[in-house]
Amino acid sequence: MNLKNTLLANAVALGMATAATAQTEISWWHGMGGSLGDTVNQIASDFNASQSDYKITPVFKGTYEETLTAGIAAFRAGEQPNIMQVFDAGAATVIGAKGAVVPVQDLFAANDVPFNIEDYIAGVRYFYADEDGKMIGMPFNSSTPILYYNTEALEKAGVTAPKTWEEFESVTAPALKDAGYIALAQSHMPWIFTENFFSRHNIPFATNNNGYGGTDVTINADAPELKAHFEAFKSWIDNGYAGFFGAAWDDNAKPFESGEVAMWLGSSGSFGGLVQKADFDFSATVLPYWEGVTKEPKQTFIGGAALFAMAGKSDAENKATAEFFRFMTSPEVQYMWHKETGYVPITEAAYEMAKADGHYDRFPAAETGIQQLQLPAGEWTKGYRMGFYVQIRDVMNREYTRYLTGETSLDDAFGAIKSEADKLLARFAKTQS
Amino acid sequence: MKRAGFANYWLPILLLLPQLTIIAVFFYWPAFNAVQSSFYLQDPFGFGSQFVGFENYSDLFASKEYAKVARFTLLFTLLVTATSLATALLLAVKADKVLRGARTYKTLLMWVYAVAPPVAGLMGVMLFDQNIGSVTDLFAWFGYDYRLGVNYWDTAFAMIIVSVWIQIPVNFIFFLSGLQSIPQHVREAAMIDNPSGFGRFWQITFPLLAPTAFFLLIINITYALFDTFGIIDTLVKNNPASNPMTLVYKVFVDGFRGNDMGGSSAQSVVLMVLVLALTIFQFRLLERRIHYT
């Protein structure tokens, strides 16, 4: 009897061991720290618990830039992860390198996972797609810049959140200043005040179809509308309507969280963090626009990052990656991610689920980002694709800061951005030939 | 006299082999690679690359930004080296005179050496932070609006202060042991000849410290040029923007953040040449004027 039991136990253990070895293991490198990282780990462990064939292991690799660099170094050494998270500015680098990734649409087709790009929210669909509209990277943490405001501050000043920058300049900001607030701060000049400025006003950001058409691109970074916007921003800073705390995200967010600044341009993905940090009532609205530039403001496109299936992996592992993407894009997981973090759900189905569940009745501000992404589209609203874009953003931040702190003139700053960015784009084109 | 030697050539080569391998693998091979890739423009993932000759170099030398970074590096190195050496020397001279509780003083002055540069940088971030920094508050009390990460010179100030602070203990230890190795009879003789403490220091003590000072000068220049990377990285907070940076940090920003392998290789070759020139200069020109006893 005893022996029989032991044998049985051994058999069971053996059976479990073979089941464990039959499991396909895949890795996922990401740049989500803090509470976002906790939610990422939650998604991974939920996936692992939902089935027994695959096991995914998420690994935190630092900032977005560090994650991309680590992934590239690993790829060159043949040690790349199955899934790599790449942020918006790095998209051209990873998509440009033909053969570095398996397009998500091909991955799905090869593994019989149904895919219809129309299932995705409008502003999400084409940012990580190629020129023909084939989705290459799976949008993951998708966000868009929106205007958060301190409800109490606006009530005290007797104003509502501005719809246009003209309204901000003539009504909102002076009233808030009188009420003792700095009216505005923003956390990311290249993303909020540049890339999405072009989209919101439907102005081309770069030649060759905003860069989607190929690497032969020049940038429109010295557009007169944009220069006028920064000239206005500087005047707001100079007369106390706006605060400028450098290029670092948090340095600009903190004064809003502490109640010193009344309105803050941040990411729709900042919502979850703000709920925890701000001890005042706040809400959010869509990004203001210049009525003098356009009467028909358009949608913005997504920022954040996408998940790329790295090339050079076995079919079995690619199958596991496809299954994980299927799991991750399911309405339940998307809604959980949206609810926990504030990033927008990437599919219509998840959005419907959040609405049906009453999420937006409880937190109206959580819907702002997704509403903004569904505003009317224009010719220049799907995004941009430019190589060495991380460096181009650094050049923008450098010159904008110099201009805003009075180190350089408006024309010199924008001239430098235009010429240095074009030089970088030409250099990138050479790396691709 | 019996000549010590090996019976054949193979044993010494065998014994040297581990060291030679390490040098080849970790120094010559990467250096060769850097020189090679500085002549190419490369796809970050390594798929395509194009031979561009000296274009990476000509772009570099034509760049106003690179010139600005180089100028800052020079100024930064001068200030960090001079300030940390001078402060450490002063502290060492004073600590040398302390009789009671000398050990405690010395330990208090030395412990900072144990702080890693990125940790020092993080402490700098906290002290100089725009919103919560106590140094920022101090400046505000004097009526100055100190802005780390916004104002170029404000950020430079924080970088220099933190870099100097962390380097003082090393210099202090060396200066102190240098002072203590000056023979007592020399000091006594000097005391009879010259009653002025100030004069004695410059005429007797300082020249006798020269070998130590020269050694420290080299160490400090190297430190300011290269080892301050962690401090700069943490103070810049992942946002190079308009912040000051050194040449080494620029290599990192362009190569590892921007994924421009060719351009950043060219920069690292320039640094290699710089270090080579510096080493030759220091040993050829400066060492002649120093008398080792």
Side-chain angles (χ1 to χ4, degrees):
Chain A
M1 190 67 188
N2 226 339
L3 181 74
K4 212 172 162 187
N5 269 351
T6 318
L7 277 177
L8 200 68
N10 278 343
V12 170
L14 203 67
M16 275 165 69
T18 36
T21 46
Q23 227 180 21
T24 311
E25 297 202 6
I26 55 171
S27 51
W28 173 15
W29 287 8
H30 66 84
M32 309 261 79
S35 61
L36 291 174
D38 296 340
T39 315
V40 162
N41 291 339
Q42 185 64 46
I43 291 178
S45 60
D46 285 354
F47 174 68
N48 292 339
S50 73
Q51 42 70 44
S52 55
D53 295 335
Y54 319 106
K55 182 169 183 286
I56 190 164
T57 312
V59 184
F60 174 61
K61 298 302 275 189
T63 63
Y64 283 148
E65 289 88 356
E66 287 163 353
T67 308
L68 178 61
T69 303
I72 288 173
F75 187 87
R76 293 180 75 135
E79 302 281 335
Q80 70 272 29
N82 295 85
I83 301 171
M84 178 162 82
Q85 185 188 24
V86 179
F87 69 134
D88 47 7
T93 308
V94 68
I95 294 173
K98 296 274 173 284
V101 297
V102 183
V104 68
Q105 218 165 314
D106 294 349
L107 185 79
F108 279 168
N111 292 289
D112 304 320
V113 178
F115 175 83
N116 180 3
I117 205 160
E118 302 294 318
D119 292 343
Y120 293 78
I121 301 269
V124 171
R125 276 173 212 159
Y126 297 108
F127 190 88
Y128 300 104
D130 66 10
E131 203 191 7
D132 307 324
K134 180 161 103 177
M135 199 183 267
I136 311 285
M138 172 56 78
F140 175 54
N141 53 321
S142 305
S143 56
T144 203
I146 56 174
L147 180 77
Y148 288 96
Y149 56 89
N150 182 330
T151 320
E152 194 187 314
L154 266 64
E155 272 170 15
K156 212 168 123 190
V159 287
T160 52
K163 289 201 169 43
T164 66
W165 288 122
E166 281 91 347
E167 182 188 346
F168 169 81
E169 198 169 48
S170 58
V171 182
T172 327
L176 282 164
K177 192 185 175 187
D178 290 343
Y181 292 96
I182 297 172
L184 181 79
Q186 62 74 45
S187 266
H188 201 307
M189 293 181 290
W191 183 50
I192 302 171
F193 270 1
T194 312
E195 294 150 24
N196 279 292
F197 179 91
F198 284 103
S199 178
R200 193 89 170 101
H201 296 92
N202 202 23
I203 303 167
F205 184 24
T207 58
N208 211 343
N209 190 16
N210 271 6
Y212 282 95
T215 51
D216 178 23
V217 193
T218 57
I219 200 167
N220 190 24
D222 59 347
E225 296 90 344
L226 186 68
K227 283 171 79 171
H229 179 66
F230 272 88
E231 202 172 11
F233 186 41
K234 181 164 165 55
S235 74
W236 300 338
I237 295 167
D238 291 345
N239 60 22
Y241 292 168
F244 175 62
F245 307 90
W249 183 280
D250 285 343
D251 286 347
N252 287 284
K254 273 180 203 155
F256 176 70
E257 287 157 12
S258 69
E260 189 189 339
V261 165
M263 298 189 293
W264 171 65
L265 290 164
S267 159
S268 56
S270 311
F271 178 78
L274 272 181
V275 170
Q276 290 167 7
K277 285 181 210 155
D279 55 1
F280 50 84
D281 282 339
F282 70 89
S283 191
T285 188
V286 294
L287 196 63
Y289 62 97
W290 287 98
E291 216 176 358
V293 175
T294 178
K295 292 273 185 298
E296 291 166 15
K298 301 290 189 225
Q299 62 177 207
T300 53
F301 52 80
I302 49 170
L307 302 185
F308 287 85
M310 302 301 285
K313 294 292 183 183
S314 70
D315 288 347
E317 288 183 18
N318 283 343
K319 168 94 180 140
T321 303
E323 287 302 325
F324 174 70
F325 282 169
R326 186 215 292 258
F327 173 82
M328 192 204 84
T329 50
S330 68
E332 292 78 12
V333 177
Q334 279 299 313
Y335 177 38
M336 182 274 255
W337 175 245
H338 173 48
K339 207 163 57 173
E340 293 293 325
T341 64
Y343 282 112
V344 297
I346 56 172
T347 60
E348 300 276 2
Y351 179 41
E352 292 304 324
M353 183 180 270
K355 269 201 272 196
D357 192 48
H359 183 54
Y360 307 123
D361 299 331
R362 292 188 292 273
F363 304 101
E367 200 179 4
T368 310
I370 194 161
Q371 283 169 336
Q372 185 170 300
L373 286 169
Q374 288 178 316
L375 290 172
E379 199 183 347
W380 305 108
T381 57
K382 75 172 181 178
Y384 61 91
R385 176 76 34 84
M386 282 179 263
F388 283 155
Y389 196 72
V390 178
Q391 282 169 297
I392 294 177
R393 270 188 175 176
D394 284 347
V395 172
M396 288 176 180
N397 265 327
R398 191 185 76 213
E399 294 299 325
Y400 291 159
T401 308
R402 283 186 186 164
Y403 168 61
L404 295 173
T405 54
E407 243 185 271
T408 182
S409 72
L410 183 71
D411 288 338
D412 286 351
F414 280 81
I417 295 171
K418 166 78 179 158
S419 73
E420 280 189 50
D422 280 350
K423 232 177 255 170
L424 283 165
L425 290 168
R427 275 173 75 81
F428 186 75
K430 278 191 192 165
T431 68
Q432 302 295 306
S433 58
Chain B
M1 200 163 80
K2 197 186 159 211
R3 190 170 160 266
F6 290 100
N8 61 46
Y9 289 113
W10 295 108
L11 188 61
I13 290 175
L14 191 75
L15 292 175
L16 279 174
L17 205 61
Q19 178 70 27
L20 290 175
T21 316
I22 287 171
I23 291 175
V25 170
F26 289 102
F27 295 97
Y28 289 120
W29 187 53
F32 172 75
N33 260 320
V35 173
Q36 192 189 29
S37 66
S38 71
F39 293 109
Y40 287 86
L41 268 175
Q42 230 181 98
D43 169 67
F45 280 88
F47 286 106
S49 71
Q50 192 180 17
F51 182 78
V52 292
F54 284 91
E55 194 185 298
N56 286 327
Y57 292 95
S58 59
D59 279 359
L60 204 59
F61 295 125
S63 159
K64 268 200 285 186
E65 277 316 305
Y66 194 68
K68 186 168 180 169
V69 171
R71 280 199 302 275
F72 177 76
T73 309
L74 187 70
L75 180 75
F76 176 80
T77 308
L78 280 175
L79 284 176
V80 169
T81 307
T83 319
S84 62
L85 282 176
T87 318
L89 182 59
L90 182 72
L91 288 171
V93 169
K94 295 298 172 200
D96 192 35
K97 289 184 182 147
V98 173
L99 296 174
R100 200 183 282 267
R103 195 178 278 265
T104 319
Y105 275 117
K106 286 169 199 166
T107 314
L108 279 175
L109 284 164
M110 280 181 219
W111 74 269
V112 178
Y113 185 43
V115 179
V119 177
L122 275 180
M123 290 167 73
V125 168
M126 304 252 249
L127 287 172
F128 292 93
D129 186 276
Q130 284 185 56
N131 297 306
I132 55 161
S134 35
V135 176
T136 311
D137 291 344
L138 186 73
F139 274 112
W141 192 73
F142 284 108
Y144 181 75
D145 187 18
Y146 181 89
R147 295 290 205 87
L148 179 77
V150 181
N151 185 303
Y152 185 85
W153 292 112
D154 285 357
T155 314
F157 177 76
M159 284 174 180
I160 291 167
I161 293 293
V162 177
S163 303
V164 167
W165 174 67
I166 199 93
Q167 185 63 7
I168 286 173
V170 190
N171 298 341
F172 171 77
I173 295 168
F174 278 97
F175 273 134
L176 189 65
S177 61
L179 283 169
Q180 287 174 345
S181 69
I182 295 174
Q184 196 60 35
H185 62 264
V186 177
R187 295 183 188 215
E188 281 167 7
M191 202 106 73
I192 296 163
D193 289 343
N194 188 349
S196 147
F198 190 76
R200 274 206 312 278
F201 176 77
W202 288 112
Q203 281 162 17
I204 306 295
T205 317
F206 191 71
L208 284 171
L209 269 181
T212 312
F214 173 65
F215 166 75
L216 285 178
L217 183 70
I218 300 171
I219 296 288
N220 277 268
I221 290 176
T222 324
Y223 161 78
L225 280 174
F226 299 100
D227 295 350
T228 48
F229 180 91
I231 294 169
I232 294 170
D233 188 45
T234 33
L235 278 169
V236 159
K237 290 196 260 188
N238 201 35
N239 283 291
S242 70
N243 289 319
M245 61 175 97
T246 57
L247 289 170
V248 174
Y249 195 67
K250 175 105 174 122
V251 171
F252 165 77
V253 165
D254 288 354
F256 289 84
R257 185 181 158 87
N259 293 308
D260 177 5
M261 295 301 160
S264 108
S265 296
Q267 290 181 33
S268 63
V269 171
V270 170
L271 275 179
M272 272 195 257
V273 174
L274 185 79
V275 171
L276 201 67
L278 200 71
T279 317
I280 293 170
F281 171 76
Q282 283 179 323
F283 283 99
R284 281 286 153 91
L285 291 172
L286 285 177
E287 199 166 67
R288 278 188 200 158
R289 295 161 183 238
I290 310 277
H291 301 287
Y292 289 96
T293 43

